[in-house]
Amino acid sequence: MSLPAQPGVVITGIGVVSPFGVGRERFWHHVSRGCSGTKAITQFDVSTYPSQVAAWVPPVSMDDALALDGDNQHNGRADPKRYSRAALFGVVAAREAWHDAGLRVAEPRSGVIIGSGGGGIDVGETQYEDFFTTGGKHVTPYAIAIGICGMVSSEISISLGLRGMSHVLSCGCTSSTDAIGYATSLIRSGEYDVLLSGGTDGCVLPGMMFGFGRMRAVSTHYNDRPAAASRPFDRGRDGFVLGEGAWMVTLEREDRAIARGATRYARIEGYASTCDAYHRVQMDPDGLEIVRCIETALAKANRPVEEIGYINYHGTSTQLNDAVESRCVRRVFGRHADMVPGSSTKSMIGHPQGASGAAGVVTTALAMTTGLLPPTINLDDPDPACDMDFIPRDPRPAVIDAALCNCLGFGSKNSALVLGRPS
């Protein structure tokens, strides 16, 4: 006996807090034109740091969320001191995504599933510093409550009155890709009708910048030219640019979205996740599990490689990762590899850690909707080891029916999502 067909799941709302500021329209305006969000770090002294640039988010307040969604009230406390940076970014982006979907009240079968690599890591940095320098005289009584990773989704639930599940997946760089994949499966199962998903991280911080510098993972050669620092697939790349922000999507059962006349940006068609089980921070050079992850996502979406019209690459701007990812995509796509364009959003927004997968999904959904594929900037001297069509420098008009979003992370993790154009 055949199983009943699972319902389709679509993106009906998008919200963004990015290095360009608040709002999906501002984000797309800059990304679709190939603008860099990388800037010199001015919030703290980096004069002795190896890397002195990052794609940091300008100041954000709850007023930004209220202006975007048209509300004049907020269920939670609007004092930014009671939020971690990741939670504040997440709440602002989530409210935009929820209201962009045409939703104004809490739905009965709704909830929150997001990804975050560091959660309230900024709270930990500042409060530990105070504890060790002053003996804790100024440590806030909210330090634990706002600093834990799980509070990020709770703040979104409180803000919108969503009483279903409120979960945070923290899987490193793949966190938000995994969150969207998990949320999609719960809607397909019939347990939920609508879920807020995506990712948020606020990690441009002294400890994070210094730590990544010690790891030799971040770019150090372009401190005098910040906009040139993130250069995926270019021969001159020398490490990733630390980024931050929040990219949220409202996921909804497709028949429900159609019945209420909601905008459908894209359909989530396939998701897969694997682990190289290889190293804490390096991917396995043979890339076998990356290949298996991509192939599984395509198989679940029932999409042959010939139907994929765009690839949103993980594209971190590190020597090993870019070369291995390129090699894996070529192995999966075979002769079709030279015919499918793709780009790295990180060339413009840096690497926003656990939010990076959601940033790629949002970018891809907006590319599908607008018919404009964003470029990979700073690709001035292509590395022969990375020999695909990465849409260098300038955006490209194109109508695509299906796309692949790659996400790779520390701890040997790999995730992939396939998006399709709603019929």
Side-chain angles (χ1 to χ4, degrees), residues 231-234 376-383 390-393:
R231 42 196 324 109
F233 312 113
D234 186 81
T376 301
I377 67 170
N378 298 322
L379 187 51
D380 302 324
D381 184 14
D383 185 346
F390 295 117
I391 317 178
R393 293 178 293 281

Side-chain angles (χ1 to χ4, degrees), residues 50-361:
S51 180
Q52 300 172 9
V53 302
W56 47 271
V57 171
V60 174
S61 73
M62 192 54 60
D63 290 339
D64 293 308
L66 304 182
L68 282 171
D69 62 37
D71 275 0
N72 57 12
Q73 60 182 356
H74 171 53
N75 290 338
R77 296 182 182 272
D79 182 356
K81 294 180 181 178
R82 300 194 183 212
Y83 292 94
S84 67
R85 295 178 75 240
L88 181 59
F89 297 166
V91 168
V92 172
R95 289 180 70 88
E96 183 185 19
W98 191 251
H99 293 293
D100 182 42
L103 302 172
R104 288 292 180 271
V105 297
E107 300 291 320
R109 285 157 49 87
S110 61
V112 180
I113 304 176
I114 63 166
S116 184
I121 191 169
D122 58 304
V123 179
E125 280 204 16
T126 58
Q127 299 303 294
Y128 274 117
E129 180 183 15
D130 183 85
F131 177 77
F132 287 112
T133 58
T134 73
K137 292 179 181 179
H138 305 294
V139 170
T140 172
Y142 298 101
I144 302 300
I146 63 178
I148 58 177
C149 197
M151 188 55 66
V152 177
S153 66
S154 295
E155 295 290 7
I156 294 173
S157 298
I158 292 167
S159 176
L160 290 165
L162 304 181
R163 292 181 171 83
M165 69 189 325
S166 184
H167 289 185
V168 176
L169 298 188
S170 190
C171 312
C173 304
T174 66
S175 297
S176 54
T177 301
D178 295 326
I180 293 172
Y182 179 34
T184 298
S185 68
L186 288 171
I187 295 174
R188 282 179 174 164
S189 73
E191 187 172 348
Y192 283 86
D193 293 331
V194 56
L195 287 166
L196 254 172
S197 192
T200 182
D201 260 312
C203 46
V204 179
L205 305 162
M208 292 289 284
M209 284 298 304
F210 190 80
F212 279 126
R214 292 281 289 175
M215 194 186 294
R216 299 183 180 179
V218 285
S219 173
T220 60
H221 294 168
Y222 300 91
N223 289 335
D224 59 338
R225 292 188 293 143
S230 185
R231 42 196 324 109
F233 312 113
D234 186 81
R235 202 193 299 257
R237 66 191 186 277
D238 72 319
F240 70 79
V241 168
L242 186 60
E244 62 182 5
W247 288 262
M248 296 291 170
V249 292
T250 301
L251 298 176
E252 191 169 349
R253 209 177 65 235
E254 188 166 21
D255 58 345
R256 181 182 186 273
I258 292 172
R260 67 183 189 86
T263 297
R264 291 175 293 149
Y265 289 97
R267 181 187 296 116
I268 310 295
E269 294 188 344
Y271 160 72
S273 178
T274 65
C275 181
D276 299 345
Y278 176 75
H279 193 273
R280 292 187 184 94
V281 297
Q282 294 180 2
M283 60 173 60
D284 190 338
D286 69 21
L288 294 179
E289 289 305 319
I290 298 174
V291 168
R292 185 166 72 92
C293 181
I294 295 172
E295 289 179 337
T296 303
L298 290 169
K300 287 183 177 180
N302 195 28
R303 291 280 189 179
V305 294
E306 293 78 12
E307 292 184 6
I308 300 299
Y310 170 73
I311 299 172
N312 189 272
Y313 285 89
H314 188 63
T316 57
S317 187
T318 55
Q319 286 289 334
L320 177 64
N321 290 29
D322 287 4
V324 172
E325 184 181 12
S326 302
R327 190 162 61 244
C328 291
V329 169
R330 181 165 290 281
R331 178 169 179 175
V332 173
F333 280 74
R335 289 179 294 179
H336 188 64
D338 293 320
M339 294 176 276
V340 55
S343 57
S344 169
T345 309
K346 292 182 184 67
S347 66
M348 294 169 278
I349 64 167
H351 190 345
Q353 303 303 290
S356 64
V361 169

